[in-house]
Amino acid sequence: FDGGYQWFYEGRNGWWQYDERTSRELEAAYKKGERICELLVAGLLYIADFDAMLQIRRNDPSRRRRIKRDLATIPKKGVAGLRLE
Ligand code: V3L
């Protein structure tokens, strides 16, 4: 979307791009200045915390990953667990 930015979450040795729907939800919440955004990913609820820039699993807050908003062109592992190439 705008300015060529995208949303990413951290994997073991690189970044995954969020799926299209979740990315749109993150971007909308971020643009509204909200501090968190609730995400439903494969049946699990997560909180994206824009202050900490973390994704945290609702029912197990020890499951957390860094997130970032960065240029769509950065090196990435793939999209939502689907590897590139
Ligand atoms: N979108 C898609 N899948 C997710 C997301 C998300 N936003 N958050 C967690 N999962 P946790 P490497 C990731 C998946 O945080 O080898 C990648 O997409 C997560 O998938 O403990 O470490 C890969 O598919 C994990 O399988 O709640 O880079 C996979 O990890 C599961 O939910 C391996 O990636 C638990 O994550």
Side-chain angles (χ1 to χ4, degrees), residues 9 11-12 16 18 41 46 55 57 63 65 77 80-81:
Y9 61 94
R12 255 175 303 183
W16 293 96
Y18 276 90
V41 176
Y46 292 90
Q55 172 191 286
R57 207 199 274 190
R63 316 284 296 220
R65 300 166 179 274
K77 300 188 79 171

Side-chain angles (χ1 to χ4, degrees), residues 38-76:
E38 274 204 327
L39 307 176
L40 186 61
V41 176
L44 289 174
L45 274 171
Y46 292 90
I47 303 292
D49 180 327
F50 295 130
D51 294 328
M53 288 301 270
L54 290 173
Q55 172 191 286
I56 301 163
R57 207 199 274 190
R58 268 275 297 265
N59 69 3
D60 182 355
S62 73
R63 316 284 296 220
R64 48 183 63 198
R65 300 166 179 274
R66 294 199 295 157
I67 61 174
K68 65 175 180 174
R69 184 179 186 270
D70 205 344
L71 290 173
T73 51
I74 64 157
K76 62 190 172 212

Side-chain angles (χ1 to χ4, degrees), residues 12-50:
R12 255 175 303 183
N13 41 29
W15 295 87
W16 293 96
Q17 192 174 301
Y18 276 90
D19 71 84
E20 183 70 30
R21 176 184 57 82
T22 307
S23 285
R24 276 191 269 106
E25 291 172 1
L26 283 165
E27 185 71 2
Y30 175 80
K31 284 282 170 60
K32 279 195 267 180
E34 286 168 12
R35 303 184 71 180
I36 62 148
C37 179
E38 274 204 327
L39 307 176
L40 186 61
V41 176
L44 289 174
L45 274 171
Y46 292 90
I47 303 292
D49 180 327
F50 295 130

